[in-house]
Amino acid sequence: MRTLISTAFVSLDGVVEAPGGEAGYRNAGWTFKDLEFLPEAYEIKGREQKEAGAMLLGRVSYQAFSAVWPDMADFADYKVMPKYVVSTTLTDGDLVANWGETTILRSLDDVAALKETEGGPIIVHGSATLNRALSDAGLVDRYHLLVFPLLLGAGKRLFSDTDKDTQRLRLVEHEAYANGIQKNVFDVVR
């Protein structure tokens, strides 16, 4: 079974919305505003590209990332990696032609079936709505979180507020950086 990894930039109060500056959120770009850039804090992002066997995205994140990532050298490994988009509305005609093989999945059952295939880990970037649904369905196996020393208040959250049984996590890697960012890697305990 393939490992499904949710990777996120998250504020201390759990917000994941618009970390890179996406329009429409008043705190957009919070990952780089007034925060010293330390390359070592982002080492895990390069490691994710090298280790992942596929990328899984929700429709909104796919549309945002596919507009810029295919031509960015920083994301070159993702260009050739198989991509899967969970959407009930996208069609093959909505997919970009310059970002490699992309398959549309229609449901969480399709994601569960994808996890049963051969291959390396499946990495989920952005995709707040999808992440909440995957977590609630018990499909996430690992979290790669870069926690920023910020309280953003309102905004899309990584985790839902669904009433459910306790889900235990095991901390398998962590580090704190001089700029206040904390790396936390958790495995989901089954």
Short mmCIF file of all heavy atoms in Angstrom, two decimals, residues 2 53-58 62 81-86 101-105 111 114 117 122-123 130:
data_model
loop_
_atom_site.label_atom_id
_atom_site.label_comp_id
_atom_site.label_asym_id
_atom_site.label_seq_id
_atom_site.Cartn_x
_atom_site.Cartn_y
_atom_site.Cartn_z
N ARG A 2 0.49 2.24 -0.79
CA ARG A 2 1.24 3.49 -0.87
C ARG A 2 0.92 4.37 0.33
O ARG A 2 -0.19 4.36 0.86
CB ARG A 2 0.90 4.23 -2.16
CG ARG A 2 1.27 3.42 -3.39
CD ARG A 2 0.76 4.04 -4.64
NE ARG A 2 1.70 5.07 -5.10
CZ ARG A 2 1.65 5.60 -6.31
NH1 ARG A 2 0.72 5.24 -7.18
NH2 ARG A 2 2.52 6.51 -6.66
N GLY A 53 6.15 9.53 -5.24
CA GLY A 53 5.91 8.81 -6.48
C GLY A 53 4.75 9.38 -7.28
O GLY A 53 4.58 9.06 -8.45
N ALA A 54 3.94 10.22 -6.62
CA ALA A 54 2.79 10.83 -7.28
C ALA A 54 2.33 12.02 -6.45
O ALA A 54 2.63 12.11 -5.25
CB ALA A 54 1.64 9.84 -7.44
N MET A 55 1.60 12.93 -7.09
CA MET A 55 1.03 14.09 -6.40
C MET A 55 -0.49 14.01 -6.51
O MET A 55 -1.03 13.68 -7.55
CB MET A 55 1.52 15.38 -7.02
CG MET A 55 1.09 16.59 -6.23
SD MET A 55 1.52 18.24 -6.88
CE MET A 55 2.92 17.96 -7.88
N LEU A 56 -1.16 14.33 -5.40
CA LEU A 56 -2.61 14.35 -5.34
C LEU A 56 -3.04 15.77 -4.97
O LEU A 56 -2.48 16.36 -4.04
CB LEU A 56 -3.10 13.36 -4.28
CG LEU A 56 -4.60 13.25 -4.06
CD1 LEU A 56 -5.29 12.63 -5.28
CD2 LEU A 56 -4.89 12.42 -2.81
N LEU A 57 -4.00 16.31 -5.72
CA LEU A 57 -4.46 17.67 -5.48
C LEU A 57 -5.98 17.74 -5.57
O LEU A 57 -6.60 16.93 -6.27
CB LEU A 57 -3.89 18.62 -6.55
CG LEU A 57 -2.38 18.75 -6.63
CD1 LEU A 57 -1.97 19.39 -7.95
CD2 LEU A 57 -1.86 19.56 -5.46
N GLY A 58 -6.54 18.73 -4.91
CA GLY A 58 -7.93 19.07 -5.13
C GLY A 58 -8.01 20.00 -6.33
O GLY A 58 -7.00 20.51 -6.82
N TYR A 62 -5.07 22.37 -7.84
CA TYR A 62 -4.59 22.00 -9.17
C TYR A 62 -4.62 23.21 -10.11
O TYR A 62 -3.65 23.49 -10.81
CB TYR A 62 -5.42 20.86 -9.77
CG TYR A 62 -5.02 20.60 -11.21
CD1 TYR A 62 -3.88 19.86 -11.51
CD2 TYR A 62 -5.75 21.14 -12.27
CE1 TYR A 62 -3.48 19.67 -12.83
CE2 TYR A 62 -5.37 20.95 -13.59
CZ TYR A 62 -4.22 20.22 -13.86
OH TYR A 62 -3.81 20.04 -15.16
N MET A 81 6.22 13.81 -12.64
CA MET A 81 5.55 12.90 -11.71
C MET A 81 4.06 12.76 -12.08
O MET A 81 3.42 13.74 -12.43
CB MET A 81 5.68 13.48 -10.30
CG MET A 81 5.13 12.63 -9.20
SD MET A 81 5.39 13.46 -7.60
CE MET A 81 7.19 13.49 -7.53
N PRO A 82 3.50 11.55 -11.99
CA PRO A 82 2.06 11.41 -12.20
C PRO A 82 1.29 12.25 -11.19
O PRO A 82 1.65 12.31 -10.01
CB PRO A 82 1.79 9.92 -11.97
CG PRO A 82 3.11 9.25 -12.07
CD PRO A 82 4.14 10.27 -11.68
N LYS A 83 0.24 12.90 -11.68
CA LYS A 83 -0.59 13.74 -10.84
C LYS A 83 -2.02 13.24 -10.88
O LYS A 83 -2.50 12.78 -11.92
CB LYS A 83 -0.51 15.20 -11.29
CG LYS A 83 0.80 15.87 -10.87
CD LYS A 83 1.08 17.12 -11.63
CE LYS A 83 1.71 16.91 -12.97
NZ LYS A 83 2.91 16.13 -13.06
N TYR A 84 -2.71 13.37 -9.75
CA TYR A 84 -4.11 12.97 -9.63
C TYR A 84 -4.86 14.15 -9.03
O TYR A 84 -4.40 14.75 -8.06
CB TYR A 84 -4.25 11.74 -8.73
CG TYR A 84 -3.51 10.55 -9.29
CD1 TYR A 84 -2.17 10.33 -9.00
CD2 TYR A 84 -4.17 9.66 -10.14
CE1 TYR A 84 -1.48 9.26 -9.55
CE2 TYR A 84 -3.49 8.58 -10.68
CZ TYR A 84 -2.15 8.39 -10.38
OH TYR A 84 -1.47 7.32 -10.93
N VAL A 85 -6.00 14.48 -9.63
CA VAL A 85 -6.82 15.59 -9.16
C VAL A 85 -8.18 15.03 -8.75
O VAL A 85 -8.84 14.38 -9.55
CB VAL A 85 -7.01 16.65 -10.26
CG1 VAL A 85 -7.81 17.84 -9.72
CG2 VAL A 85 -5.68 17.11 -10.82
N VAL A 86 -8.56 15.30 -7.51
CA VAL A 86 -9.87 14.86 -7.04
C VAL A 86 -10.86 15.99 -7.33
O VAL A 86 -10.73 17.09 -6.80
CB VAL A 86 -9.85 14.53 -5.54
CG1 VAL A 86 -11.24 14.08 -5.08
CG2 VAL A 86 -8.81 13.46 -5.24
N GLU A 101 1.58 13.66 -17.01
CA GLU A 101 0.40 12.79 -16.88
C GLU A 101 -0.47 13.20 -15.69
O GLU A 101 0.01 13.28 -14.56
CB GLU A 101 0.86 11.35 -16.69
CG GLU A 101 -0.24 10.37 -16.43
CD GLU A 101 0.29 9.01 -16.00
OE1 GLU A 101 1.49 8.74 -16.13
OE2 GLU A 101 -0.54 8.21 -15.51
N THR A 102 -1.74 13.48 -15.96
CA THR A 102 -2.68 13.86 -14.91
C THR A 102 -3.97 13.07 -15.09
O THR A 102 -4.51 12.99 -16.18
CB THR A 102 -2.99 15.38 -14.96
OG1 THR A 102 -1.77 16.11 -14.87
CG2 THR A 102 -3.90 15.79 -13.82
N THR A 103 -4.45 12.50 -13.98
CA THR A 103 -5.67 11.70 -13.98
C THR A 103 -6.67 12.33 -13.03
O THR A 103 -6.30 12.73 -11.91
CB THR A 103 -5.36 10.26 -13.51
OG1 THR A 103 -4.36 9.71 -14.37
CG2 THR A 103 -6.60 9.40 -13.53
N ILE A 104 -7.91 12.41 -13.45
CA ILE A 104 -8.97 12.93 -12.59
C ILE A 104 -9.60 11.78 -11.81
O ILE A 104 -9.97 10.76 -12.38
CB ILE A 104 -10.05 13.66 -13.43
CG1 ILE A 104 -9.42 14.85 -14.16
CG2 ILE A 104 -11.20 14.12 -12.53
CD1 ILE A 104 -10.35 15.51 -15.16
N LEU A 105 -9.68 11.95 -10.50
CA LEU A 105 -10.36 11.01 -9.61
C LEU A 105 -11.67 11.66 -9.16
O LEU A 105 -11.70 12.86 -8.89
CB LEU A 105 -9.51 10.66 -8.40
CG LEU A 105 -8.09 10.12 -8.68
CD1 LEU A 105 -7.35 9.88 -7.37
CD2 LEU A 105 -8.16 8.85 -9.51
N VAL A 111 -9.42 7.54 -4.41
CA VAL A 111 -8.15 7.79 -3.71
C VAL A 111 -7.73 6.53 -2.94
O VAL A 111 -6.57 6.13 -2.98
CB VAL A 111 -8.26 9.00 -2.76
CG1 VAL A 111 -6.97 9.16 -1.94
CG2 VAL A 111 -8.56 10.28 -3.54
N LEU A 114 -6.30 4.16 -5.35
CA LEU A 114 -4.96 4.61 -5.77
C LEU A 114 -3.92 4.20 -4.74
O LEU A 114 -2.82 3.76 -5.09
CB LEU A 114 -4.95 6.13 -5.97
CG LEU A 114 -3.59 6.76 -6.29
CD1 LEU A 114 -3.03 6.24 -7.61
CD2 LEU A 114 -3.71 8.29 -6.29
N THR A 117 -2.32 0.78 -5.17
CA THR A 117 -1.48 0.50 -6.33
C THR A 117 -0.01 0.47 -5.94
O THR A 117 0.37 0.87 -4.84
CB THR A 117 -1.70 1.54 -7.45
OG1 THR A 117 -1.30 2.83 -6.97
CG2 THR A 117 -3.16 1.57 -7.89
N ILE A 122 2.43 9.13 -2.08
CA ILE A 122 1.57 10.10 -2.76
C ILE A 122 1.56 11.35 -1.89
O ILE A 122 1.21 11.28 -0.71
CB ILE A 122 0.14 9.55 -2.91
CG1 ILE A 122 0.15 8.23 -3.67
CG2 ILE A 122 -0.75 10.59 -3.60
CD1 ILE A 122 -1.13 7.43 -3.53
N ILE A 123 1.95 12.49 -2.45
CA ILE A 123 2.07 13.73 -1.69
C ILE A 123 0.89 14.65 -2.03
O ILE A 123 0.53 14.78 -3.19
CB ILE A 123 3.43 14.41 -1.96
CG1 ILE A 123 3.71 15.52 -0.97
CG2 ILE A 123 3.55 14.91 -3.37
CD1 ILE A 123 4.53 15.07 0.19
N LEU A 130 -9.77 19.07 0.33
CA LEU A 130 -9.42 17.66 0.12
C LEU A 130 -8.71 17.09 1.34
O LEU A 130 -9.01 15.98 1.78
CB LEU A 130 -8.56 17.50 -1.13
CG LEU A 130 -8.05 16.08 -1.42
CD1 LEU A 130 -9.20 15.11 -1.61
CD2 LEU A 130 -7.13 16.10 -2.64
#
